[in-house]
Amino acid sequence: MKILAEIGRYMLLMKKVFQQPVKKSIFHRQLMDEMEKLGLNSIGIVAIISVFMGAVVALQMAINLESPFLPKFLIGYATRESLILEFSSTIVALILAGKVGSNIASEIGTMRITEQIDALEIMGVNSANYLILPKIVSALIFFPFLTLLSMIVGMFGGYMIVFTVDMMTPDDFLTGMTDDFRPFLVLYGVVKMIIFAFIITSVSSYYGYYAKGNSLEVGRSSTKAVVSSTIVVLIFNVILTKLFFNY
């Protein structure tokens, strides 16, 4: 019953969030600020992790596909499929749930315990709409670009490792990268990230918005936000895979 109550309160909060902003100029300014905080500041960590994961995936594929009966270009093919299907959407979303989600929960939670949210409500401002909507919209806009960046950088990392490890020729790797390429899979990864972006920002905002007590409770709310958004992302990953591929 507690879970149902939490879901109900979450839905009521989202109803307050998705109301038309009173002042669109303020919303646009906040949107630009949130895109910088949530999107631009996440480029570095996504790029670094993606380039090394692309290299590791390529190495693992090379180690496990050592067979005279398997063509070498399958290493590039398997690396590309692994990055597009799961890593650049689901794994990057889990990374962002830790970085962005904890930041959102702690920021809004701090405003709650310092009574800044109460002050907004007293002034007649829809605090949920004012604080949360720009974060959700900025994530919906920017996170898909992070997914595309991760795909490109990850493949680059796999390609670069070919030059440092004598496992195959760069031409074979590029052949595998381009063989039987289906643009639909890129769309699949982007759509997944759009849904994950909404989950991460809305769930994290929910836990921050209803934080209670002192700064210690803000930390606990931040932890709950990361754990809950991670679990929901993984659940929806299974659901979306089933819907897209109809297994």
Side-chain angles (χ1 to χ4, degrees):
M1 294 301 293
K2 184 178 179 181
I3 294 177
L4 293 177
E6 291 282 344
I7 294 174
R9 190 161 68 159
Y10 168 82
M11 296 301 293
L12 290 174
L13 176 63
M14 291 301 105
K15 182 180 178 181
K16 288 181 62 179
V17 168
F18 287 100
Q19 294 180 1
Q20 186 174 356
V22 177
K23 292 186 177 181
K24 294 184 179 180
S25 59
I26 296 177
F27 171 78
H28 290 153
R29 185 169 64 250
Q30 288 178 300
L31 181 62
M32 294 298 104
D33 292 339
E34 295 297 341
M35 287 185 70
E36 179 181 356
K37 289 192 295 183
L38 304 184
L40 289 175
N41 291 343
S42 300
I43 289 177
I45 188 171
V46 170
I48 292 172
I49 292 175
S50 296
V51 71
F52 283 105
M53 282 303 300
V56 170
V57 170
L59 281 174
Q60 291 286 359
M61 293 301 172
I63 293 170
N64 290 284
L65 293 178
E66 283 187 354
S67 171
F69 302 103
L70 296 175
K72 289 293 186 181
F73 76 84
L74 285 179
I75 298 172
Y77 175 82
T79 300
R80 184 198 72 203
E81 295 295 285
S82 299
L83 290 169
I84 292 177
L85 287 173
E86 285 303 317
F87 176 79
S88 294
S89 55
T90 306
I91 305 303
V92 168
L94 297 179
I95 295 168
L96 293 173
K99 180 184 182 299
V100 173
S102 60
N103 178 272
I104 291 174
S106 59
E107 177 186 339
I108 298 178
T110 301
M111 296 183 70
R112 168 62 74 183
I113 67 170
T114 56
E115 300 181 348
Q116 295 180 56
I117 293 178
D118 295 331
L120 289 173
E121 295 287 349
I122 291 172
M123 291 187 294
V125 176
N126 181 347
S127 59
N129 175 271
Y130 179 81
L131 295 173
I132 300 174
L133 185 60
K135 299 181 188 300
I136 293 177
V137 175
S138 64
L140 292 175
I141 294 172
F142 210 98
F143 281 16
F145 289 102
L146 293 179
T147 295
L148 296 174
L149 173 68
S150 175
M151 293 177 185
I152 296 170
V153 173
M155 292 178 195
F156 175 75
Y159 182 71
M160 291 304 296
I161 201 66
V162 174
F163 288 98
T164 59
V165 179
D166 186 21
M167 57 185 181
M168 64 184 299
T169 64
D171 288 340
D172 285 339
F173 189 81
L174 286 176
T175 300
M177 279 284 187
T178 56
D179 183 63
D180 192 28
F181 175 70
R182 292 172 290 172
F184 166 75
L185 297 182
V186 176
L187 177 63
Y188 163 72
V190 170
V191 171
K192 280 208 305 183
M193 179 55 87
I194 292 173
I195 296 172
F196 295 161
F198 176 80
I199 292 171
I200 293 168
T201 49
S202 63
V203 171
S204 300
S205 298
Y206 166 78
Y207 280 100
Y209 193 81
Y210 289 111
K212 297 179 181 178
N214 52 28
S215 58
L216 183 61
E217 292 299 322
V218 173
R220 289 175 180 170
S221 297
S222 179
T223 301
K224 289 179 182 178
V226 173
V227 173
S228 298
S229 58
T230 298
I231 292 172
V232 177
V233 163
L234 292 175
I235 292 172
F236 271 83
N237 185 42
V238 176
I239 295 172
L240 291 170
T241 301
K242 174 68 176 177
L243 291 176
F244 271 86
F245 296 101
N246 196 27
Y247 289 139

